Amino acid sequence: MKRRSFLKFLGLSALCHRWALAEASAAVQPVVAVAEGHDYAQITRNAIAAVGGMKRFVKAGDVVVVKPNMGWDRNPDQAANTNPIVVRAVVEEALKAGAKKVKVFDRSCNDERRCYVNSGMTEALKGMKNVELKYVENERFRKVALKGKVLSEWELYDEALHADVFINVPVAKHHGLTKLTLGLKNVMGVMGGNRGAIHKNIDEALADVNSVLKSHLVVVDATRVLTAHGPQGGNLGDVKALHKVLASTDIVAVDAYATTLFGHRPEDISVTVAAYKRGLGEINLKKVRIVRA
Amino acid sequence: MKKITSARISQLLFLLVFLVLFVNTEYRGTDNISAAINSFFRMDPLVLVSYLAATKSFTSLLLPAVLTLLFTLLLGRFFCGWICPLGTVLDLVTKRIRKTAPVRLLKGNLKYWLLLPLVVSAFFHINLAGILDPIAILVRALTFFLYPILGDGVRRSWVELYHVIGERRDHLAPAYGVLHDYLLPFRETFYPLAFLSAAMFAAIVFIERYESRNWCKNLCPLGTLLGLFSRFSLLKRVPAALCSDCKACRSLCPTAFDADLLQTDACLLCMECQLRCPHHRVNWSFRRGDYLTGVHVPERRVLLGGLVSGFFLAGTFRFRKPEAQAHLLRPPGAGSEDDFLKKCVRCGECMKVCLTGALYPAIAQAGVEGIFTPVVTPRLGYCEYNCTLCGQVCPTGAIPNLPPAPKKRAVIGKAAFDKNLCLPFAKRTNCIVCEEHCPMPQKAIRSEVAEEIDFAGNKIEVQRPYVLEDLCNGCGICENVCPLEGKAGIEVFAVKDKTPLKESVFVPEVKKQAAPGPVDKREGEGQDSEALPPASPVKGRKDQVKPAASDPWNGGDDPYK
C-alpha cells in the first residue's frame, strides 16, 4: 500500500463512524438529486446538498479535480460544454468544504486556448484563490493498467489519478455515435493517446476506464442541452433549456436518469448498459431514489 | 565606447518593436489581433511595388508603404539606416566580424539583376519578391528556425524537470507560465524549409566578412528599390565628396563611400560622417535642384536584361504536378491559385499565427515558384472553425481579412473518404470520430447505420460516414482527428470552385421531425442546402429526440440572453 493511500485509509476509517450509517444506506439505494430552477449556481448547490453536501466528499486539505466538458470551441449558449456557472458553483462548494486546491481541466478537442476562453471557464474561474485552470500537459499522462475487457492499458492524466476527490461535471448532450454523452463519456477528457481509436468499442472501453478512474461525485449539467448534431452543436435551434442540474455518487444511475430527459430509455444507451453490467452502478431507475432538490 | 547616435536609438527601438510584434503574432485569448502586427510588411515598398505589378491594383493595406516611398523621396534610404530590423541586426554583429576585401562579383549591377526580374515577373503573374524581401527573410528565419527550436528547448527542459521532481514542479509553474504565455510559442511547431530559412539569414550575416552592410548595399532588392527613389532625395550632404585633406568619411561610412563621391543610392542616413567628422565640416540639409551625386543608375542593357529575364522567369517554373495539386490547400478565403500567388509575399506571418499549426511553407507542392507560400496540412493541424487570425495578419490580403461568418463559409477544399482505409468500411467497426469533430452546425459529415457481416461472420450494425459537399468548407479537422495512423481515412482535396457555402448553412433551422424510415444517402448529395434532409438520415436511429419535459425553450428566461 502506498503511503498516500494508507493515510487516506487511516483518515477515512477515523471518519467512518460518522458516515457509517449514511454510507450504508447509500450503498443500499443509490440517490440521484434533481434540482431545477433558473439560478444555475443555486440549483447546483441544491443538488449537491441533496446527495449529502460537498463535505461528504471533500475533507479539509484535499486536492480536488473538477472535470467539466470544455472540449469544444463553443460558447455557453451553444451547450456543447459544461455551463461555467455550474462549474464555478461546484468549485466554490469544494473550496468551502476545505479543499486545499481545486484543479479544473479538460483535454479539449479544439484548440485548448480557444476552448477555455470560449466555454466561459476562464472568465468564470478568474481570480479564484486555490483554483487552477490549466491546460493539459502531455508529460502528465501515464500508462495505467486497466486490465479491462478491451483496453488492457491506457494513458490517463496524472492529476486526475492523484486527486483526493474526482468530481465529474459533464454536460448532457447528443452524440452521433453513443446517442448521448454524459458522465461516463466525460471521463474521456482525462485519457491521453489516440482517443479516437477507442470509438470502435466505445461502450466497453469507457467501462474499462471508469472502473479504474472512479468519479466520487457526478454533477450533470442539464441546464441547456443539445438534442442533435452533438457533441459540438453550434446551432441554437438544437439547444433546449431544461434548467436542471443532477448530482449523484452513482455514475450509472445519474446517466440513466439524464437519459430520460432526452426521451430515451436508459437501456437504449449502450455505454450506460455496459457500465451497469460491469457493476459500476444502477441502471434501473426504479431502484434509484430520485430526490427533488 | 562609442557614443550612441539617434540613428542607433531608432534602430534599436524598431528592432524591439519588431520582436514584440513577432512574439505577439499568436492567439492571446481574444479573437482579434492588433492591426499593428504586420506593420513592417505593410510599410515595405518592395511588397507594395510587387503587389502593384502583380495585381495591377492597389490595396489600402499597403498605404504605409506609400508613405515610406514618399519619405524616401524626401530623405533617401532612411528606412535602411533607421528602421529595417535586418539592417539593425547586421549593424549589431558587423563589428565582431573581421573584414577581408569586398567581393567583385557582388559589386555593380548584381542588385539590379535581382530587383528587376523580381518586379517584372510579378507583372507577369508570379510575385517572387517575398523570397528576397529582407523582412520576410528575417521573419522566416525566426518563425521556421529559431522560435520552434527555442520553444522546444524550453519545453523539453520543463518536461524533464517533471520527470525529475514530479509534482513539485508546480511550485515553478507560475514562472514558466509567464515565459510560456508572453515569450515562447504556444505550440512548438516544426516547419519544413527551416534549414533554408536559417541558411538565407546566415548567408547574409556571413557576407558581412567582405564589407559592412554587404547585403544592404549590394544585394537587397528592397534597398535597391529605395536606392532608386533616393536619387531624388532632397536631403543632401555637404560636401558631397571626400575632402582631399582628410578622407575620414571613407572609413566612417558603412556603405556609400566606395568612390570619392557619396553614393546617394547606398547612403543609409546613419549620419556617422556628420557626427564624427574631425573638422565638423559635414552637414546635411534640404536642397532642391540638380544636385545628383555619384548616382549609379542601371545601364540600359541591365534594365532591358532585367525586364526580359523577369518575363522568362515568370514562365520558367509553371509546371505543376497534378498529384501535388490535389493537396494544395490554401488558407481560408484565398482566391484562385493564380490570384493567391500574385498577392502572397511569403512573409510567414500566417504560419506563425495559425492556432493549430495547420499552415506550413510549401516546398514544391505549388511548383518551385510557390516556395514558402502557406499550405494547409490537415494531418498536422486543421483550420479552427471560429478563428480568423491568418486573414488578420496577412499584409497584402492574399488571405482576406474575413469576419467569422464569411470565413466559416470560405471553402478551403472538400473532404472525401477513402473507403479502403476508413474503419467502418475497411474494418467494419464503428468510429465516426470525423462526424463528431465536424464543426458545421448541421454536420457536413453524417452517418447511416448499415447492416454488415463482420469478419467473424456475425451480423452487426455499423455507422458509415459520408460527406455532404454543400456543407463542407474543407477545414480538415476530420482528416486531422482520423484515428488511423499515417494516412487518414478521410482527406481534404483542393477544388477549383471555391464558391463560399450558402448562408443558409448556418441559419438555425427550424426543427423538423426526423423523417423515420430509410433515407437514401444519395439524396444528400448535390442538393440545395435549403432543402437539407433531416439532420440524421439514418435508418432506425432515434437521435432527433425531444426532451421529455414540455418544451421549456422560450429564450426569455434564459440566463444568457
Side-chain angles (χ1 to χ4, degrees), chain B residues 105-127:
Chain B
L105 178 72
L106 300 180
K107 291 285 171 193
N109 286 324
L110 183 58
K111 55 185 176 182
Y112 297 112
W113 281 110
L114 288 179
L115 173 69
L116 292 173
L118 286 190
V119 175
V120 175
S121 66
F123 192 80
F124 295 106
H125 306 310
I126 176 72
N127 188 346

Side-chain angles (χ1 to χ4, degrees), chain A residues 38 40 72-74 76-77 83-85 103 109-114 117-118 134-135 137 139-140 158-159 162 174-177 185 194 196-197 199-200 224 227-243 260-264, chain B residues 26-27 29 31 158-159 162-163 167 169-170 176 186-187 355-356 382 384-387 429-433 435-443 463 477 483 507-509 511 535 541-549 551-553 557-561:
Chain A
H38 291 271
Y40 295 165
W72 305 102
D73 180 15
R74 297 287 198 221
D77 270 358
N83 195 311
I85 300 173
K103 299 177 177 181
C109 298
N110 291 130
D111 178 76
E112 51 267 54
R113 293 165 288 178
R114 289 200 61 94
V117 171
N118 205 2
K134 273 199 319 196
Y135 302 127
E137 295 173 300
E139 62 268 27
R140 289 180 188 267
D158 215 346
E159 295 200 302
H162 273 170
H174 169 257
H175 189 278
L177 181 63
K185 190 165 181 307
N194 183 4
H199 274 210
K200 64 183 172 203
R224 298 165 65 82
T227 57
H229 300 129
Q232 260 193 96
N235 191 339
L236 291 183
D238 294 332
V239 177
K240 295 281 171 194
L242 300 183
H243 308 299
T260 63
L261 300 177
F262 290 80
H264 284 300
Chain B
E26 178 110 38
Y27 174 78
D31 290 346
W158 181 243
V159 170
Y162 178 78
H163 293 144
E167 298 274 317
R169 187 185 69 165
D170 286 355
Y176 178 73
F186 185 79
R187 283 181 219 293
L355 204 59
T356 62
Y382 60 93
E384 188 69 87
Y385 185 63
N386 290 323
C387 172
T429 60
N430 271 323
C431 181
I432 68 154
V433 180
E435 178 186 344
E436 183 181 18
H437 282 77
C438 176
M440 304 310 284
Q442 300 179 47
K443 295 284 181 197
Q463 263 175 263
I477 194 170
V507 176
E509 65 177 340
K511 243 178 128 195
R541 275 178 66 211
K542 291 183 213 145
D543 45 11
Q544 286 271 34
V545 293
K546 277 184 132 22
D551 190 355
W553 171 254
D557 51 7
D558 188 323
Y560 291 102
K561 293 285 161 188

Side-chain angles (χ1 to χ4, degrees), chain A residues 20-41:
Chain A
L21 256 168
E23 290 287 337
S25 66
V28 171
Q29 193 182 26
V31 175
V32 172
V34 182
E36 188 169 356
H38 291 271
D39 180 348
Y40 295 165

